[in-house]
Amino acid sequence: MSVEKVNLGAAGELAIRSLIERAPLASSLAEAFKKEGFRLALVGGPVRDAILGRLGNDLDFTTDAHPHQTKKILKSWADNVWDTGILFGTVAGKRGDTTVEVTTYRTEKYEENSRNPDVEFGDTIEGDLSRRDFTVNSMALELTGVKPEFIDPFDGLGDLAKRVLRTPSSATQSFSDDPLRMMRAARFASQLGFDIDSEVTEAMTSMASRISIISAERVRDEFVKLLMSDRPRIGITILVDTGLADLVVPEIPKLRLEIDEHHHHKDVYEHSITVLEQAISQEERLGGPNLVIRLAALLHDIGKPKTRNLLEGGGVSFHHHEVVGSRLSKNRMKALRFDNDTIEAVETLVALHLRFHGYGDGEWTDSAVRRYVRDAGDLLVHLHVLTRADCTTRNAKKADRLARTYDGLEARIAKLSEEEELSKIRPDLDGAQVMSLLGIKPSADVGKALDFLMELRMEHGPLGEERATEELIQWWKARRHP
């Protein structure tokens, strides 16, 4: 197929003009490549996003220059250059606020059991575009000609107008070349709100097992992008329906518990997705889109399938599902190679997500409120968001009562925080004071003494040094002479 120079009409010309105006550095970079006798084209997502009116500051280019030639040109143009992807043909640079990645024309595919693609450099932009994941990402804007030329050999513009995801080659061939594209389909459906072509969906379903050859890190990165999109429900549902989730996050499809006429309970899968959406609606409390709260919301009930118990006479219980779910969350996130801080935060939130339901109508003592704050630690606002999002009842009176009760708990936390600096709860004496008062050296006894003082602090609030000293000495005497 020859490269098609499309006559875009008024709308298309406007898109190109908008792209050039919004990415002025693209023109200067093109001049640098043209000066050395090479071609350069803006390609893929940035072209798509420019047409959609959502172009950002990260630009992707393709060129007939080989990687080391690209690196040399970028060094003369960019403020900073890095070549961590040079083996795959990619060199990156940054100039001002704009980051660029320039990749040599290439073709790539996965061998049957390989976790990394075999990359071969190509000679034409046509070949480069044919190897890309979806037609809406297989458009290019050639910048080194007399004037910018729009290149669209697979009617990506038409698919963009129809809001559909289709592959340049057959979906089977595309996903065989790179199985991660199956997850990208779900991710783009979430990010763009597009439908997936039926051939693509069929291939994803029949080839889902191929995702197992992809490294956990790459799978994680795609899953995170999906989860952080504006419409994660769309992508998660696609992963579940095609069977990809069974291999990537199997705990999620397991939430689709069977429900019979005698043992009624909420659809846990639907509930979890709704909790995710309701948490997203409160993210302004966390400063904007937040990966930890989204993961915790999605995973908070994954302990239910393992703890499900059918009760005599009807009904279902899920005793200690928060404990089981916390462990399962940790294991899944470790398998996906999440960083330790994120794993620990999500594990903590899943473990604590039911704590509020012991609050009743506000019967907790100040001590219990202090413990709630201490156990949440830096994740207190996350826990507020998760707990509120976890109310998906259709009973308006019950929902209103729960909201008002949690309002009351937050008010009590605020009042105690003002009085006692709850976020900085610590014993009234420090380790040095304990050792001086008790005449002991650093040892396990110091830790036990501090634990005793912390319990006093939690139970009674600030004691002051004088009373804390009296209590400590009495405790020490009782330990020495029981």
Side-chain angles (χ1 to χ4, degrees):
M1 180 186 297
S2 62
V3 177
E4 183 181 355
K5 306 292 195 305
V6 178
N7 182 355
L8 293 172
E13 294 297 340
L14 180 62
I16 288 182
R17 191 160 60 248
S18 170
L19 191 153
I20 297 299
E21 289 172 356
R22 296 182 64 188
L25 290 182
S27 297
S28 66
L29 182 60
E31 284 299 316
F33 274 80
K34 186 176 181 179
K35 182 180 177 182
E36 298 298 324
F38 298 112
R39 300 179 67 190
L40 185 77
L42 192 69
V43 71
V47 177
R48 178 200 69 219
D49 289 344
I51 295 171
L52 291 174
R54 41 174 282 174
L55 182 64
N57 290 329
D58 294 336
L59 304 179
D60 296 331
F61 297 88
T62 189
T63 181
D64 57 350
H66 274 229
H68 290 288
Q69 295 166 321
T70 294
K71 183 178 178 180
K72 181 179 179 181
I73 295 170
L74 277 181
K75 279 190 170 182
S76 69
W77 177 86
D79 301 325
N80 296 292
V81 175
W82 54 98
D83 61 1
T84 51
I86 198 166
L87 291 178
F88 298 99
T90 300
V91 183
K94 187 168 186 177
R95 180 166 164 175
D97 294 330
T98 300
T99 300
V100 302
E101 285 192 354
V102 183
T103 302
T104 301
Y105 299 158
R106 68 187 187 188
T107 58
E108 63 184 36
K109 65 177 181 178
Y110 283 75
E111 295 302 328
E112 187 65 28
N113 296 306
S114 171
R115 286 183 175 269
N116 294 302
D118 290 328
V119 175
E120 294 182 4
F121 299 131
D123 300 316
T124 67
I125 194 169
E126 176 189 23
D128 184 84
L129 295 177
S130 70
R131 69 150 185 101
R132 292 179 179 267
D133 49 12
F134 302 103
T135 60
V136 296
N137 296 329
S138 298
M139 301 177 286
L141 188 64
E142 170 60 57
L143 299 172
T144 47
V146 177
K147 65 178 182 178
E149 293 179 312
F150 186 75
I151 304 173
D152 184 18
F154 304 103
D155 194 25
L157 191 63
D159 288 339
L160 202 61
K162 291 183 287 188
R163 302 177 68 81
V164 65
L165 293 171
R166 192 170 54 83
T167 52
S169 57
S170 73
T172 300
Q173 181 62 52
S174 180
F175 297 154
S176 179
D177 288 346
D178 184 354
L180 191 65
R181 290 172 176 171
M182 296 185 286
M183 287 193 67
R184 282 200 202 118
R187 189 244 295 184
F188 284 128
S190 278
Q191 287 181 331
L192 303 173
F194 281 18
D195 294 324
I196 298 180
D197 180 76
S198 59
E199 180 197 344
V200 174
T201 301
E202 290 169 8
M204 290 169 68
T205 304
S206 65
M207 300 177 66
S209 62
R210 283 277 289 164
I211 199 67
S212 61
I213 74 168
I214 302 298
S215 69
E217 290 83 358
R218 296 187 72 212
V219 168
R220 175 203 62 214
D221 289 347
E222 277 302 322
F223 183 64
V224 167
K225 290 174 184 176
L226 186 162
L227 195 60
M228 296 303 290
S229 69
D230 291 338
R231 313 168 190 84
R233 171 189 288 270
I234 295 173
I236 293 168
T237 301
I238 290 168
L239 293 182
V240 171
D241 288 346
T242 57
L244 282 162
D246 291 328
L247 298 155
V248 175
V249 278
E251 295 79 9
I252 301 304
K254 287 178 181 177
L255 294 175
R256 287 182 164 176
L257 300 175
E258 295 178 4
I259 304 174
D260 63 46
E261 59 182 326
H262 302 296
H263 300 92
H264 300 292
H265 61 83
K266 291 178 182 176
D267 179 338
V268 183
Y269 171 80
E270 177 61 31
H271 165 74
S272 298
I273 301 297
T274 301
V275 172
L276 169 61
E277 292 175 328
Q278 293 186 168
I280 290 172
S281 72
Q282 300 179 58
E283 282 181 318
E284 69 278 357
R285 295 190 67 177
L286 299 168
N290 186 281
L291 177 60
V292 166
I293 195 62
R294 294 192 187 202
L295 283 166
L298 180 63
L299 301 176
H300 78 285
D301 271 349
I302 61 173
K304 281 190 170 180
K306 282 187 175 290
T307 58
R308 184 184 187 214
N309 184 38
L310 304 181
L311 304 177
E312 290 186 17
V316 182
S317 70
F318 303 99
H319 291 311
H320 304 303
H321 76 268
E322 73 282 11
V323 178
V324 174
S326 177
R327 186 182 71 249
L328 291 175
S329 298
K330 178 179 180 179
N331 292 342
R332 177 52 49 199
M333 293 177 67
K334 285 181 70 174
L336 288 172
R337 306 290 195 271
F338 277 90
D339 64 274
N340 290 335
D341 288 344
T342 301
I343 293 173
E344 183 177 347
V346 173
E347 179 187 10
T348 298
L349 289 169
V350 173
L352 293 177
H353 83 271
L354 286 184
R355 179 75 70 85
F356 161 70
H357 295 286
Y359 189 67
D361 292 319
E363 297 91 350
W364 276 3
T365 61
D366 284 352
S367 172
V369 174
R370 292 186 193 104
R371 293 176 194 279
Y372 188 77
V373 174
R374 179 194 64 182
D375 291 347
D378 293 339
L379 296 168
L380 181 61
V381 179
H382 288 76
L383 186 57
H384 290 336
V385 170
L386 178 59
T387 303
R388 290 182 180 276
D390 196 22
C391 177
T392 62
T393 180
R394 296 179 182 177
N395 183 319
K397 288 185 177 180
K398 182 179 179 182
D400 182 63
R401 178 177 60 79
L402 287 170
R404 283 187 287 105
T405 302
Y406 205 84
D407 287 343
L409 175 58
E410 285 206 55
R412 285 186 66 186
I413 290 172
K415 184 172 183 295
L416 279 173
S417 293
E418 185 177 347
E419 295 172 353
E420 304 179 12
E421 292 189 282
L422 287 189
S423 62
K424 301 177 182 177
I425 290 180
R426 58 177 63 87
D428 292 84
L429 304 173
D430 61 26
Q433 291 172 303
V434 167
M435 289 187 286
S436 175
L437 289 166
L438 302 183
I440 60 177
K441 295 180 179 181
S443 63
D445 283 337
V446 178
K448 291 174 182 176
L450 290 172
D451 288 343
F452 166 73
L453 291 169
M454 176 60 90
E455 283 301 311
L456 285 180
R457 173 70 174 80
M458 298 301 296
E459 190 66 30
H460 302 292
L463 301 176
E465 286 191 21
E466 183 177 346
R467 182 181 168 190
T469 298
E470 292 174 0
E471 296 281 357
L472 175 66
I473 291 173
Q474 289 179 14
W475 171 81
W476 183 245
K477 286 181 179 178
R479 278 177 55 87
R480 301 279 295 230
H481 305 287

